[in-house]
Amino acid sequence: MDTQTIINAAYLLAAVLFITGLKGLTKPKTAVRGNKIGSTGMLVAVVVTLFDQQILHYTMIVVGLIIGATIGAVLAIKIQMTGMPQMVAIFNGFGGIASTLVAGAALLEVTGGGDNPGLQFLMASGISGLIGSITFTGSFIAFGKLQGIVTSDSVLLPGRHVVNGLLGIAAIGAIVMLVTDPSAFAVPYLAICLLAFLLGVLLTIPIGGADMPVVISLLNSYSGLAAAATGFVLSNNGLIIAGSLVGAAGLILTQIMCKAMNRSLLNVLIGGFGGEAGGAGTSADEVYEGKIKSSSAEEIAMVLEDTQRVVFVPGYGMAVAQAQHGVKQLANLLEKQGTEVLYAIHPVAGRMPGHMNVLLAEADVPYEQLIDMDDINPMFAETDVAIVIGANDVVNPVAKTDPKSPIAGMPILDVGEARTVVVIKRSLSPGFAGIPNPLFAADNTLMFFADAKAALQDMVAALKETVDA
Amino acid sequence: MDTQTIINAAYLLAAVLFITGLKGLTKPKTAVRGNKIGSTGMLVAVVVTLFDQQILHYTMIVVGLIIGATIGAVLAIKIQMTGMPQMVAIFNGFGGIASTLVAGAALLEVTGGGDNPGLQFLMASGISGLIGSITFTGSFIAFGKLQGIVTSDSVLLPGRHVVNGLLGIAAIGAIVMLVTDPSAFAVPYLAICLLAFLLGVLLTIPIGGADMPVVISLLNSYSGLAAAATGFVLSNNGLIIAGSLVGAAGLILTQIMCKAMNRSLLNVLIGGFGGEAGGAGTSADEVYEGKIKSSSAEEIAMVLEDTQRVVFVPGYGMAVAQAQHGVKQLANLLEKQGTEVLYAIHPVAGRMPGHMNVLLAEADVPYEQLIDMDDINPMFAETDVAIVIGANDVVNPVAKTDPKSPIAGMPILDVGEARTVVVIKRSLSPGFAGIPNPLFAADNTLMFFADAKAALQDMVAALKETVDA
Amino acid sequence: MSQPFILSLTIFVLAVYVGFEVITKVPPTLHTPLMSGANAISGITIVGALLSTGLGLSVLTTALGLAALIFATINVVGGFMVTHRMLGMFQKKG
Amino acid sequence: MSQPFILSLTIFVLAVYVGFEVITKVPPTLHTPLMSGANAISGITIVGALLSTGLGLSVLTTALGLAALIFATINVVGGFMVTHRMLGMFQKKG
Ligand SMILES: NC(=O)c1ccc[n+]([C@@H]2O[C@H](COP(=O)([O-])OP(=O)(O)OC[C@H]3O[C@@H](n4cnc5c(N)ncnc54)[C@H](OP(=O)(O)O)[C@@H]3O)[C@@H](O)[C@H]2O)c1
Ligand SMILES: NC(=O)c1ccc[n+]([C@@H]2O[C@H](COP(=O)([O-])OP(=O)(O)OC[C@H]3O[C@@H](n4cnc5c(N)ncnc54)[C@H](OP(=O)(O)O)[C@@H]3O)[C@@H](O)[C@H]2O)c1
């Protein structure tokens, strides 16, 4: 067996490990193992590549690996939980630019040497440069939006579709130039990259901050495709298989995420959602006028006394206020007085999937008390008090009643079924979808207008007093 | 582009069509289209192969295609609905033997010419011969069992595991011989085929007739693998992709079928199920003693008069008796008197998936009246009379109550919930699983002991009289 | 005609994965037609039979090839047709 | 080193199918870790970067390769590690 056969066999093994790893990552029980299997696949692919007889200089490689691994490890360890989506965006951008650089290097070496490397090589280089560069800047805009460096509003430039169209056509033109006259490869390749950098920015900027997880997932699919294109440049099956695998899997994941948010991918990409407030549907005044019962920590503490079951319903506001520790304190008090405490987890509460799970886990809430939407909904009817903490859209009954509302059809938590509903938020402002919420005006709802963290502290203090009294 | 590229591109297209076709076949809405897409893929593969420049003689090819297509078409058109599983078995056997013959021909040509064609070629030929031949005889035994030519009982020869093991070892030995001394290829290859013929028979004969659909599905997976092995012999990607695709898909389908019957694949392959009666669990006497209420057509006709809803529950006995037309006649009468008539379809009623659907469709029962198990079960509570026609295991409540019974855990039709249950069968003999059925002894059950076809004719006559009277 | 074994193996492994994943849930009514349709596809060996028959090799090879071709064609043509008939019956509307 | 384009394409198409089919249902909690894990795998371009860096080509090529290698390694190492941390948090038992 020659080296090439062994290398290709190792790539096949790596591919099998990647597939198994990805599959594992889709199930809670096997997720940790799946990630390990995936990283083993990468190790196999890297190690076997180092055995390539053509590799002459190991110094540079060792330098590169050490620098990269150190930076990667430090970033991964230092990052706060809530910053993780941003981190993924950055990593993804790096992957994209790496593909662009590799394709550029190959182009420089082969074409610069005066050979005409053929259509496959040139096309693939151009595509790798294009997709890799879009991924790079797009990911950094996504990072900036999530980090608050770039405005997370949806920025809708006038005529942007025309501009994007022209840029796209120019980029394709540059690829054609590259293919037809490979000897002057530098100019078209740089042009492709620059145009793609611009496109990456312009395509991402109109999308609202809250949609960023979807965008990152899509860009992740792109960086897989860029790697696959680089594989066509190098005729390397490892890159082709792993790249296309992730490209396809990322696209499916993107769709799954859109579906969980009750959006279409097109709708996300066109942007403009999450920027403006309200608009269609009934106005806030109509919904709320004269029906809001504002309450206080003391009053709520009295309601909470001697309850059988209390369900906390966390949302984005809890994350903003970092109120999870307060929630846990209140829960401890309630449990001490014999109340069963549960947490209702809506799949898209917060601003990233699993947002609530992460925060509550941080506050040491037992895993068994986190109940998924489908399981908790039938339980609300036997719940004394549902405490909604900075959640809005995920408890908005309009999703069921008004087919024209932007959240129409989204499954919601049926908190209204509970005997009493307590809603903690700072005002009557709408949530992510920008629409009023009739729940706040319901007969059995008490509003507690305050920052969630402060509100919970007050409630803890008040409940202590009530119990002691 | 050279011919080989075009051919490989066409194979890729064919593969995509096969994948799309298979996917389509898994959903009722797209199944017909899926089958057409799959056959288009085959057309593409065949046509492009004819363009292979190496092909010199078209006469033989045309002769072969015409003969094969004619036989295939005639068989497919002539066969009765209930004979279809047998037909699939035969077709499958033909596919297996074709792979064996192609590998043999390749071996004859290349090795007979004095060349040593290398390990991959020889190994693949041996495997193709082995699997193809097992598929051939195994499929014919399956055909024979379903057709009633071979006893459908589970035939358990003493020491069969040892014999099978020895045959398997001998076959592997023959493959090793083939690989080590390819010049004398004829003897080991014939030995492989003969041993595999024997194995195919011996592996299939212990399996009861009712398990044949599963066996055919498994053999179908084998014939895919044989085709893939032949692909390795010829280095033909069309064969490799399509063969391995079907090999894998067939295996998954086999498992799905086992699961629907609440069996494990191992359990099916070891055989011995469906042959002997009873054994474990409570004896028939204990269950039935003194509790059986035998009834007559006239009595049942009276019960059926003035009912709101009657549900027919067909099973294997209806198929044996070909009683579907009688059922439809009775249903017509009932509907004329204003009774709602529904049919409860259990997923494994009968002896092949969809068995009941086919028979009832043949008798022109409206599709909307066939209700799946999960949907009909809650409706039994509001059913006046459930008429069980030659069904047994699928209405046996023991599946829920006795965890040691062979059908433990199988979901059943809850006919016992109906006000009155009428069971039509010839005796108190058990069904496929060989166990007694407490339903027959229930308070609200009337037994009507007769051949299903005759029983229904009597009931139709009796109901007419009752109504006229 | 020959391609490196490892490439054939790569293609084989990927196709096996596709086969495993492509079929997930199948309603029982479709078990038999799906089996039958898959069976027809496994008649792809017809391609090999065409080559054995048509390459103008020795008489014995051609004869084996012709036999294989007939069998494989029966499998393919009969398989797709019987699947089509089955589907027609299973889904027949009253 | 080069293999026929059509073989690369065959492998590409099959891998895309596997990618499409392998992910079907994912509980929302796992969306972010799965995205992150897939992102780490897309760092496979590290293999290309290793080749560009190590083949002893011109200085400019090697420099481009080194830059690519650093970026890709960050993606791979950081990606798998952050996924691991995330999973640890998401599934932490009280
Ligand atoms: N999870 C994901 O992956 C994801 C990703 C993208 C988008 N989304 C979308 O995000 C929404 C999530 O719903 P949600 O119910 O969690 O949140 P939401 O509908 O966005 O509502 C959050 C509420 O929290 C309140 N709030 C903000 N800061 C607060 C603070 N410091 N203290 C107390 N309350 C505060 C706000 O009201 P005040 O201003 O009155 O306080 C706001 O109404 C859904 O529409 C979902 O589709 C989710
Ligand atoms: N659907 C599939 O794909 C498939 C495949 C393999 C195995 N199976 C198995 O087959 C069984 C199917 O259950 P099932 O309830 O349909 O059938 P069953 O349990 O096998 O019972 C059939 C009953 O029909 C009666 N019968 C036979 N001939 C009759 C006639 N001429 N007239 C009236 N009755 C007659 C028999 O009783 P008498 O002798 O007293 O008349 C027998 O008890 C399950 O155990 C299933 O797991 C199904």
Side-chain angles (χ1 to χ4, degrees):
Chain A
M1 278 206 276
D2 59 326
T3 333
Q4 202 51 47
T5 303
I6 297 178
I7 291 182
N8 267 320
Y11 286 156
L12 180 56
L13 172 63
V16 169
L17 292 171
F18 290 151
I19 297 171
T20 318
L22 277 180
K23 238 184 125 88
L25 274 168
T26 62
K27 285 182 209 92
K29 273 197 189 161
T30 54
V32 173
R33 183 149 35 99
N35 188 47
K36 281 184 189 150
I37 292 174
S39 56
T40 310
M42 193 58 82
L43 191 69
V44 169
V46 168
V47 167
V48 79
T49 308
L50 292 178
F51 282 113
D52 193 313
Q53 284 155 334
Q54 297 172 295
I55 289 196
L56 304 171
H57 298 289
Y58 285 95
T59 335
M60 279 300 164
I61 288 184
V62 172
V63 170
L65 285 177
I66 290 183
I67 298 181
T70 312
I71 300 180
V74 168
L75 287 177
I77 292 172
K78 282 271 155 95
I79 187 73
Q80 293 283 312
M81 309 207 199
T82 41
M84 283 182 177
Q86 290 91 299
M87 203 75 271
V88 176
I90 294 218
F91 290 153
N92 194 43
F94 285 168
I97 195 70
S99 288
T100 301
L101 289 170
V102 171
L107 204 54
L108 181 64
E109 199 56 35
V110 177
T111 320
D115 303 343
N116 185 334
L119 190 63
Q120 172 187 343
F121 182 97
L122 293 168
M123 277 290 286
S125 310
I127 293 174
S128 172
L130 180 73
I131 306 182
S133 305
I134 290 185
T135 307
F136 182 61
T137 52
S139 296
F140 271 81
I141 295 293
F143 164 78
K145 288 207 171 214
L146 285 175
Q147 194 71 9
I149 301 174
V150 180
T151 169
S152 75
D153 280 3
S154 149
V155 179
L156 299 176
L157 302 172
R160 63 208 160 89
H161 294 306
V162 178
V163 173
N164 291 344
L166 290 177
L167 285 174
I169 292 170
I172 292 171
I175 294 181
V176 173
M177 261 178 72
L178 180 66
V179 172
T180 45
D181 182 10
S183 61
F185 66 93
V187 176
Y189 193 71
L190 283 178
I192 292 170
C193 295
L194 290 177
L195 289 165
F197 284 155
L198 250 176
L199 265 174
V201 173
L202 292 178
L203 288 173
T204 318
I205 208 99
I207 304 172
D211 279 339
M212 279 306 127
V214 178
V215 172
I216 297 173
S217 177
L218 186 66
L219 289 170
N220 180 29
S221 164
Y222 287 179
S223 74
L225 292 179
T230 310
F232 277 87
V233 174
L234 306 177
S235 278
N236 181 305
N237 289 332
L239 282 170
I240 295 179
I241 302 179
S244 44
L245 186 67
V246 174
L251 200 60
I252 297 293
L253 178 60
T254 309
Q255 278 180 340
I256 293 179
M257 286 170 75
C258 282
K259 222 175 145 189
M261 286 169 49
N262 199 36
R263 309 278 303 276
S264 78
L265 184 54
L266 190 70
N267 190 242
V268 167
L269 293 186
I270 288 178
F273 197 78
E276 319 109 288
T282 30
S283 82
D285 284 353
E286 268 177 62
V287 175
Y288 298 137
E289 189 111 75
K291 296 181 202 145
I292 298 295
K293 283 181 291 302
S294 183
S295 181
S296 66
E298 288 69 30
E299 191 182 345
I300 296 169
M302 265 149 46
V303 174
L304 287 175
E305 220 188 347
D306 296 329
T307 42
Q308 301 281 317
R309 179 192 283 162
V310 169
V311 176
F312 287 105
V313 182
Y316 177 62
M318 182 185 84
V320 174
Q322 288 288 310
Q324 62 272 26
H325 299 285
V327 172
K328 174 66 180 158
Q329 268 179 282
L330 184 58
N332 286 347
L333 273 188
L334 287 169
E335 287 185 328
K336 228 168 62 188
Q337 76 173 32
T339 306
E340 181 191 15
V341 174
L342 296 175
Y343 299 79
I345 307 297
H346 190 283
V348 299
R351 286 296 182 270
M352 68 178 208
H355 206 163
M356 297 301 119
N357 305 59
V358 170
L359 293 172
L360 293 174
E362 196 193 38
D364 282 327
V365 167
Y367 189 76
E368 306 76 50
Q369 294 183 1
L370 308 186
I371 316 288
D372 279 342
M373 178 172 63
D374 293 336
D375 295 325
I376 195 85
N377 266 344
M379 296 165 81
F380 278 117
E382 280 121 54
T383 297
D384 296 300
V385 187
I387 308 184
V388 178
I389 307 154
N392 192 337
D393 298 342
V394 300
V395 294
N396 194 335
V398 158
K400 286 184 176 172
T401 54
D402 179 2
K404 277 197 230 101
S405 116
I407 59 169
M410 178 169 91
I412 61 155
L413 291 164
D414 299 326
V415 289
E417 301 283 311
R419 188 123 55 83
T420 310
V421 181
V422 172
V423 177
I424 305 174
K425 63 200 294 285
R426 296 163 309 176
S427 65
L428 283 173
S429 314
F432 174 64
I435 50 169
N437 189 338
L439 174 77
F440 304 158
D443 284 344
N444 58 340
T445 299
L446 298 176
M447 298 298 296
F448 183 3
F449 293 110
D451 173 82
K453 193 173 190 170
L456 278 153
Q457 279 164 357
D458 292 351
M459 282 162 68
V460 167
L463 187 61
K464 271 192 188 147
E465 264 177 43
T466 320
V467 174
D468 292 348
Chain B
M1 277 209 274
D2 58 325
T3 332
Q4 201 52 45
T5 304
I6 297 179
I7 291 182
N8 267 318
Y11 286 156
L12 181 57
L13 173 62
V16 169
L17 291 171
F18 290 151
I19 296 171
T20 318
L22 277 180
K23 239 185 123 89
L25 274 169
T26 62
K27 286 185 207 88
K29 273 196 188 160
T30 54
V32 173
R33 183 150 35 100
N35 188 48
K36 281 183 190 150
I37 292 174
S39 56
T40 311
M42 194 58 82
L43 193 67
V44 169
V46 167
V47 168
V48 79
T49 307
L50 292 179
F51 281 113
D52 192 312
Q53 285 156 331
Q54 296 172 294
I55 289 195
L56 305 171
H57 298 287
Y58 285 95
T59 334
M60 278 300 164
I61 288 184
V62 172
V63 170
L65 285 177
I66 289 183
I67 297 181
T70 311
I71 299 180
V74 168
L75 288 178
I77 292 173
K78 282 271 157 95
I79 187 73
Q80 292 285 311
M81 308 208 199
T82 40
M84 283 182 177
Q86 289 92 297
M87 203 75 270
V88 176
I90 294 218
F91 290 154
N92 193 43
F94 285 167
I97 195 68
S99 288
T100 300
L101 289 170
V102 171
L107 204 55
L108 181 66
E109 198 57 32
V110 178
T111 318
D115 302 344
N116 185 333
L119 190 62
Q120 172 187 342
F121 182 96
L122 293 168
M123 277 289 287
S125 310
I127 293 175
S128 173
L130 180 71
I131 307 182
S133 304
I134 290 185
T135 307
F136 181 61
T137 50
S139 295
F140 271 81
I141 295 292
F143 164 78
K145 288 206 172 216
L146 286 174
Q147 194 71 11
I149 302 175
V150 180
T151 168
S152 74
D153 280 1
S154 151
V155 179
L156 299 176
L157 301 173
R160 64 210 159 89
H161 294 307
V162 177
V163 173
N164 291 343
L166 289 177
L167 286 174
I169 291 171
I172 292 173
I175 294 181
V176 173
M177 259 178 73
L178 179 68
V179 172
T180 44
D181 182 10
S183 61
F185 66 93
V187 176
Y189 193 72
L190 283 179
I192 293 170
C193 295
L194 290 178
L195 288 166
F197 283 156
L198 249 175
L199 264 174
V201 173
L202 292 178
L203 288 173
T204 317
I205 209 101
I207 303 172
D211 279 338
M212 280 306 126
V214 178
V215 172
I216 297 173
S217 177
L218 186 67
L219 289 170
N220 180 28
S221 164
Y222 287 179
S223 73
L225 292 179
T230 311
F232 276 88
V233 174
L234 307 176
S235 277
N236 181 304
N237 289 331
L239 282 170
I240 295 179
I241 302 179
S244 44
L245 187 68
V246 174
L251 202 59
I252 297 293
L253 178 60
T254 309
Q255 278 180 342
I256 293 179
M257 286 169 74
C258 282
K259 224 174 142 185
M261 286 169 49
N262 199 37
R263 308 279 302 277
S264 79
L265 183 55
L266 191 69
N267 190 240
V268 167
L269 292 186
I270 288 179
F273 198 78
E276 318 108 290
T282 31
S283 81
D285 284 352
E286 268 177 63
V287 175
Y288 299 137
E289 188 111 76
K291 296 181 204 148
I292 299 295
K293 283 184 291 299
S294 182
S295 181
S296 66
E298 289 67 32
E299 190 181 346
I300 295 170
M302 264 149 47
V303 174
L304 287 175
E305 218 188 347
D306 295 327
T307 41
Q308 300 282 317
R309 177 191 284 162
V310 168
V311 176
F312 287 103
V313 182
Y316 176 61
M318 181 184 85
V320 174
Q322 288 288 312
Q324 62 271 25
H325 298 284
V327 172
K328 174 66 180 157
Q329 267 178 283
L330 184 58
N332 286 346
L333 274 188
L334 288 170
E335 286 183 330
K336 228 167 63 188
Q337 77 174 30
T339 306
E340 181 190 15
V341 173
L342 296 175
Y343 299 78
I345 306 297
H346 189 283
V348 298
R351 287 295 182 271
M352 70 180 207
H355 207 163
M356 297 301 120
N357 305 58
V358 170
L359 293 173
L360 294 173
E362 195 193 41
D364 282 326
V365 168
Y367 190 76
E368 308 76 49
Q369 295 183 0
L370 309 186
I371 316 288
D372 279 342
M373 178 173 63
D374 293 335
D375 295 326
I376 195 86
N377 267 342
M379 297 165 81
F380 278 117
E382 279 121 54
T383 296
D384 296 301
V385 186
I387 307 184
V388 177
I389 306 153
N392 191 338
D393 297 342
V394 300
V395 294
N396 193 336
V398 158
K400 286 183 175 172
T401 53
D402 179 2
K404 276 196 231 103
S405 115
I407 60 170
M410 177 169 93
I412 60 155
L413 291 165
D414 299 326
V415 289
E417 301 283 309
R419 188 124 54 83
T420 308
V421 180
V422 171
V423 177
I424 304 173
K425 63 201 295 287
R426 296 165 308 177
S427 64
L428 282 175
S429 316
F432 173 63
I435 50 169
N437 189 338
L439 174 77
F440 304 158
D443 284 343
N444 58 342
T445 299
L446 297 175
M447 297 298 295
F448 184 4
F449 292 111
D451 173 82
K453 192 171 188 171
L456 279 154
Q457 279 166 356
D458 292 352
M459 282 162 69
V460 166
L463 187 62
K464 271 193 187 146
E465 263 178 43
T466 319
V467 174
D468 293 348
Chain C
M1 180 158 108
S2 191
Q3 71 194 16
F5 170 68
I6 188 66
L7 284 183
S8 304
L9 187 68
T10 304
I11 290 174
F12 173 76
V13 170
L14 289 175
V16 164
Y17 263 104
V18 177
F20 275 151
E21 302 292 340
V22 84
I23 289 177
T24 38
K25 260 186 254 161
V26 196
T29 337
L30 286 180
H31 286 178
T32 312
L34 176 58
M35 177 169 88
S36 177
N39 168 48
I41 294 176
S42 77
I44 184 71
T45 202
I46 192 175
V47 163
L50 285 173
L51 294 172
S52 317
T53 315
L55 294 189
L57 307 169
S58 71
V59 177
L60 185 53
T61 313
T62 310
L64 287 178
L66 181 61
L69 182 57
I70 294 177
F71 284 132
T73 310
I74 296 178
N75 184 3
V76 169
V77 174
F80 283 117
M81 281 181 71
V82 91
T83 310
H84 189 76
R85 272 194 67 202
M86 259 187 230
L87 288 171
M89 289 170 186
F90 278 41
Q91 304 193 316
K92 184 159 105 180
K93 308 258 159 183
Chain D
M1 182 156 109
S2 191
Q3 71 195 16
F5 170 69
I6 187 66
L7 284 184
S8 305
L9 187 68
T10 303
I11 290 174
F12 173 78
V13 170
L14 289 175
V16 164
Y17 264 104
V18 177
F20 275 150
E21 301 293 341
V22 85
I23 289 176
T24 38
K25 260 187 253 163
V26 196
T29 337
L30 286 179
H31 287 177
T32 313
L34 176 58
M35 177 169 87
S36 177
N39 168 47
I41 294 175
S42 76
I44 184 70
T45 200
I46 191 176
V47 163
L50 285 172
L51 293 172
S52 318
T53 315
L55 294 189
L57 309 169
S58 71
V59 178
L60 186 51
T61 312
T62 309
L64 287 177
L66 182 62
L69 181 58
I70 294 177
F71 285 132
T73 311
I74 297 179
N75 184 3
V76 169
V77 174
F80 283 118
M81 282 181 69
V82 92
T83 310
H84 190 75
R85 273 195 67 203
M86 259 186 230
L87 288 171
M89 289 169 185
F90 278 42
Q91 305 194 314
K92 185 158 101 177
K93 309 259 160 179

